[in-house]
Amino acid sequence: MAEIVLDKVTKRYPDGALAVSDMDIEIADGEFVILVGPSGCGKSTALNMIAGLEDISSGELRIDGQRANEKAPKDRDIAMVFQSYALYPHMSVRENMAFPLRLAKVDDATVKQKVEEAAEILDLTQHLDRRPSNLSGGQRQRVAMGRAIVRSPKAFLMDEPLSNLDAKLRGQMRTSVSKLQKQLGTTTVYVTHDQTEAMTLGDRVVVLRGGIVQQIGSPQFLYDHPANLFVAGFIGSPSMNFVPATLEEGVLKSPLGTITLTDRVRRLAEAADAPREVVAGIRPEHFEDAALVEETHRASGATFTAPVDVLESMGAEKYAYFTVEEELATTAELQELAADAGATDVPGGGSTIVTRLSASSEAREGQQLQVWFDADRIQLFDPSSGRNLTYSG
Amino acid sequence: MAVTTGRKARWALIDVVVVVYALFPVLWIASLSFKTKETLADGNFIPREWTLQNYADIFATNEFIRPLINSLGIATIATLIAVVLGMMAAYAIARLDFPGKKALIGVSLLIAMFPQISLVTPLFNIESALGLFDTWPGLILPYITFALPLAIYTLSAFFREIPWELEKAAKMDGATPGQAFWRVIAPLAAPGVFTTAILVFIFCWNDFVFAISLTSTEASRTVPAALSFFTGTSQFEDPTGTISAAAVVITVPIVLFVLFFQRRIVAGLTSGAVKG
């Protein structure tokens, strides 16, 4: 167990490409930290630098207060779970899990005991003498976890450990990873590009973009108070709706109608010296079928009426999709997010507003629907810098 | 899938033609080795009089046994050294980026293409001056030189197939680079190592050019060279029978060697390492 500190850690490749830039993260002992971001954001590079598999160009990495930049991976006492599992195919499950202990010259009796303990925890006892090639994806994943936990390292590093599993198994394994980490209380750094994993697993989430830390905070904090457009668009599923708007005297003119901002939002925007042209962001869950909103509550929001393009009924809730006449807000950040999600491949996919309605809504596809949204939950962003103008951290 | 009789017969015919074409000289030699001196030249494929005298003769003299020991020793040592060095070089070529990598590959290819015969005279002079002429190292050294390009080429192809993440995993598990190589990478490259070992061994075992020109006595003469010195018990006697018997005997180790290692060349040894 250990605390890991990244102090202005930078990775620059020989060809000049900057993979990670001035990364400052303090990971407390026993904490579960998630590094999240779209592909190519430098999250795996950061993890490899903590592991010692890649050199740090500048800055300092401290493990338990000691500079670790020059330490070889084997001397850092950190275990890693790879995306591909990287099991040794010529060894049985037992030998795979015993490998780190054998290298550490642990005596045979202790090796046997520790491997069996780990196998017990991970439900692998009956597979100990099989070869990795005879195991299912989920079992292989557990063997990889077993190999990491068996020697009680200072910290675990996990590089998208669940991304090769199918959706159902991924959900199950997500829960067991979380349980295991709490049970062992070992500092864990977990890399993923899946915002659901980031939201559900971590004590704290680090959002990365282009090698630069965008924001660090608890999942709920990032969801409620994104520092910029990128974080706002990345965290949350379905993601936040963004519309271009003009802000004048506390009144917001947008494709969703004219909205009078609440005092709280107006004060924040004024304090942030908001420009006239802004990007307004509203999460799908802050919309509701106007018919289901109580009269007294209605005043605190605004409504718009539009035909429902597509209605997805999920049982517990309904997702209604609307098309807005005007172009939706596009900035570099949002384009990057859209590209990462593959949305650019879907023609017209970018000009849709997603709303989450109660299951009791009587919305029908193709029919007009009056939709209410909470004006107090609107977030305003600067279109040029992406900064959140209503940030209240 | 139902295979018609006609189709089967056609394939059987083609197989027989290929096998006979390839093995006829070998079978003829085998046949000669079982013939008596009198029937040697009668032109019959199946000997009319069977004898094991030729085999008894070759094993009765040092003329054959000593070269056989030389051959085994020299080929084994050269193979061992070439494969170990080849593994290290191939690993470096497959995994590392170092200055002069392209030059190294180019030079090793150049050596492989060099006609050996053109090197015989210089090598003879060098080895005479160094006192290596007619010694085991005198043959082992050139064999390693010519076997290494072959070893490096075959092995680097195998190393490239091994997922790099396994090595990273080994490092994370506390292995030094050396331990990661010998305990994880090398066992996985085993099929490639055996394939290479077979090829190198056959090359050393069959060499005639160096063996005949860099040796002069039974101290280091290998079997292919020794065969050319076979004589009958008197100068009027025809040594064909004994030469044939010796040729059959030296083919046997190669066949055994290939059969033994062939079982080790299991395809798909790396399956299950990474996502399947």
Side-chain angles (χ1 to χ4, degrees):
Chain A
M1 284 177 223
E3 57 163 25
I4 300 171
V5 177
L6 285 87
D7 186 1
K8 298 226 178 308
V9 166
T10 300
K11 175 72 190 183
R12 188 184 288 279
Y13 284 109
D15 63 1
L18 196 63
V20 171
S21 160
D22 281 338
M23 185 180 273
D24 282 314
I25 308 174
E26 286 182 24
I27 301 162
D29 185 17
E31 199 178 12
F32 197 148
V33 167
I34 311 273
L35 300 183
V36 71
S39 28
C41 72
K43 54 193 192 296
S44 289
T45 309
L47 197 75
N48 283 339
M49 285 194 287
I50 300 175
L53 296 171
E54 281 193 55
D55 292 332
I56 295 168
S57 309
S58 68
E60 194 173 70
L61 168 74
R62 288 189 293 271
I63 299 172
D64 262 347
Q66 285 184 329
R67 183 179 161 94
N69 288 34
E70 289 79 22
K71 274 193 185 174
K74 71 183 182 72
D75 301 323
R76 297 190 187 193
D77 194 16
I78 285 175
M80 188 155 171
V81 178
F82 292 85
Q83 180 174 12
S84 65
Y85 316 140
L87 302 178
Y88 310 125
H90 58 301
M91 300 183 194
S92 68
V93 170
R94 183 190 300 276
E95 289 165 332
N96 259 286
M97 282 161 66
F99 190 67
L101 297 174
R102 297 239 180 264
L103 290 173
K105 306 235 184 300
V106 176
D107 64 276
D108 284 356
T110 321
V111 170
K112 192 167 166 12
Q113 182 213 336
K114 289 206 168 186
V115 167
E116 274 162 18
E117 265 175 31
E120 188 77 27
I121 294 172
L122 293 160
D123 196 17
L124 285 168
T125 313
Q126 71 272 38
H127 305 303
L128 275 178
D129 295 310
R130 296 171 70 186
R131 289 284 172 105
S133 51
N134 300 327
L135 299 178
S136 72
Q139 288 164 341
R140 285 181 202 180
Q141 210 283 327
R142 295 209 300 276
V143 177
M145 300 283 292
R147 197 172 60 185
I149 68 173
V150 75
R151 67 192 163 109
S152 320
K154 280 183 182 168
F156 295 140
L157 305 179
M158 303 195 188
D159 190 359
E160 310 211 16
L162 306 181
S163 62
N164 283 331
L165 301 177
D166 60 63
K168 195 176 164 207
L169 202 53
R170 188 154 61 222
Q172 288 169 3
M173 282 308 291
R174 203 167 67 209
T175 330
S176 51
V177 166
S178 175
K179 251 198 261 173
L180 190 67
Q181 199 271 341
K182 291 206 171 55
Q183 194 180 338
L184 300 168
T186 308
T187 315
T188 304
V189 184
Y190 186 108
V191 161
T192 180
H193 65 269
D194 178 6
Q195 69 90 28
T196 320
E197 277 176 27
M199 289 295 283
T200 51
L201 279 174
D203 296 324
R204 278 197 303 159
V205 177
V206 178
V207 183
L208 289 169
R209 174 183 172 234
I212 297 166
V213 174
Q214 302 292 303
Q215 196 175 6
I216 305 180
S218 72
Q220 191 63 46
F221 185 83
L222 294 193
Y223 176 84
D224 290 334
H225 307 285
N228 57 37
L229 259 180
F230 183 80
V231 178
F234 193 80
I235 300 289
S237 173
S239 50
M240 194 183 253
N241 298 296
F242 295 105
V243 289
T246 44
L247 181 64
E248 239 171 318
E249 316 261 321
V251 175
L252 195 66
K253 285 204 180 107
S254 79
L256 300 181
T258 305
I259 307 148
T260 312
L261 294 178
T262 60
D263 286 347
R264 188 189 70 89
V265 177
R266 182 165 36 188
R267 265 197 304 276
L268 286 170
E270 274 165 14
D273 205 9
R276 196 170 167 277
E277 300 292 331
V278 294
V279 172
I282 312 172
R283 293 204 179 274
E285 44 275 40
H286 298 142
F287 290 89
E288 186 52 280
D289 186 339
L292 299 173
V293 181
E294 285 172 34
E295 283 299 326
T296 48
H297 205 54
R298 260 194 195 208
S300 66
T303 58
F304 72 93
T305 306
V308 179
D309 280 345
V310 176
L311 187 76
E312 291 174 352
S313 187
M314 313 296 282
E317 64 219 9
K318 282 178 177 161
Y319 288 105
Y321 295 78
F322 299 91
T323 309
V324 290
E325 298 292 312
E326 287 166 63
E327 271 296 291
L328 284 190
T330 46
T331 69
E333 284 97 335
L334 295 179
Q335 270 164 5
E336 193 182 321
L337 280 171
D340 189 55
T344 42
D345 303 335
V346 187
S351 58
T352 304
I353 297 278
V354 187
T355 65
R356 202 182 81 180
L357 312 176
S358 299
S360 52
S361 164
E362 284 172 5
R364 290 255 182 85
E365 251 170 51
Q367 289 186 2
Q368 293 283 328
L369 183 74
Q370 195 184 26
V371 181
W372 173 89
F373 56 93
D374 191 343
D376 196 42
R377 307 301 288 265
I378 291 177
Q379 311 220 25
L380 302 177
F381 300 89
D382 185 331
S384 53
S385 68
R387 184 170 60 103
N388 187 345
L389 301 164
T390 48
Y391 182 74
S392 58
Chain B
M1 194 173 72
V3 181
T4 59
T5 343
R7 197 178 144 86
K8 252 189 203 162
R10 218 165 44 235
W11 274 107
L13 187 71
I14 294 171
D15 290 346
V16 167
V17 168
V18 169
V19 168
V20 167
Y21 175 78
L23 287 183
F24 188 71
V26 179
L27 291 175
W28 194 264
I29 293 239
S31 144
L32 282 177
S33 73
F34 289 111
K35 285 180 178 177
T36 58
K37 288 188 179 69
E38 290 71 34
T39 57
L40 203 58
D42 64 1
N44 267 356
F45 180 66
I46 295 163
R48 276 184 295 177
E49 283 174 63
W50 289 81
T51 174
L52 287 173
Q53 191 54 41
N54 292 321
Y55 290 90
D57 283 350
I58 56 166
F59 281 107
T61 66
N62 242 1
E63 227 181 318
F64 179 70
I65 294 173
R66 180 62 210 189
L68 190 63
I69 294 167
N70 288 339
S71 260
L72 277 173
I74 289 170
T76 310
I77 295 171
T79 303
L80 210 69
I81 298 176
V83 168
V84 169
L85 289 179
M87 267 169 87
M88 294 176 186
Y91 175 78
I93 285 170
R95 282 291 151 80
L96 308 176
D97 220 2
F98 54 89
K101 181 166 146 178
K102 284 222 171 79
L104 179 76
I105 299 172
V107 168
S108 71
L109 194 63
L110 192 74
I111 292 171
M113 294 188 300
F114 221 90
Q116 294 178 9
I117 191 76
S118 65
L119 286 174
V120 164
T121 312
L123 270 177
F124 176 81
N125 288 335
I126 292 168
E127 295 207 345
S128 300
L130 292 175
L132 285 171
F133 180 71
D134 199 23
T135 61
W136 277 24
L139 277 183
I140 291 173
L141 283 172
Y143 284 170
I144 291 173
T145 310
F146 279 96
L148 259 180
L150 178 75
I152 293 172
Y153 263 80
T154 326
L155 282 168
S156 59
F158 275 90
F159 279 128
R160 265 188 219 109
E161 295 292 308
I162 297 172
W164 201 349
E165 290 216 321
L166 288 178
E167 201 184 333
K168 290 190 190 169
K171 279 187 188 167
M172 293 309 297
D173 283 344
T176 61
Q179 282 172 321
F181 180 71
W182 289 112
R183 299 186 64 163
V184 175
I185 303 301
L188 292 175
V193 173
F194 289 123
T195 310
T196 312
I198 290 173
L199 293 172
V200 171
F201 188 87
I202 292 174
F203 163 75
C204 300
W205 184 260
N206 286 350
D207 173 74
F208 179 75
V209 174
F210 288 142
I212 195 85
S213 30
L214 300 177
T215 62
S216 61
T217 66
E218 277 167 13
S220 65
R221 188 178 285 149
T222 60
V223 176
L227 285 185
S228 64
F229 287 94
F230 266 26
T231 52
T233 33
S234 74
Q235 61 175 19
F236 305 108
E237 214 174 306
D238 187 1
T240 308
T242 42
I243 288 178
S244 306
V248 170
V249 170
I250 63 161
T251 314
V252 171
I254 288 284
V255 172
L256 288 180
F257 197 82
V258 171
L259 286 180
F260 175 69
F261 281 128
Q262 201 180 29
R263 286 190 302 152
R264 310 291 300 264
I265 305 167
V266 194
L269 196 68
T270 52
S271 72
V274 296
K275 61 170 170 172

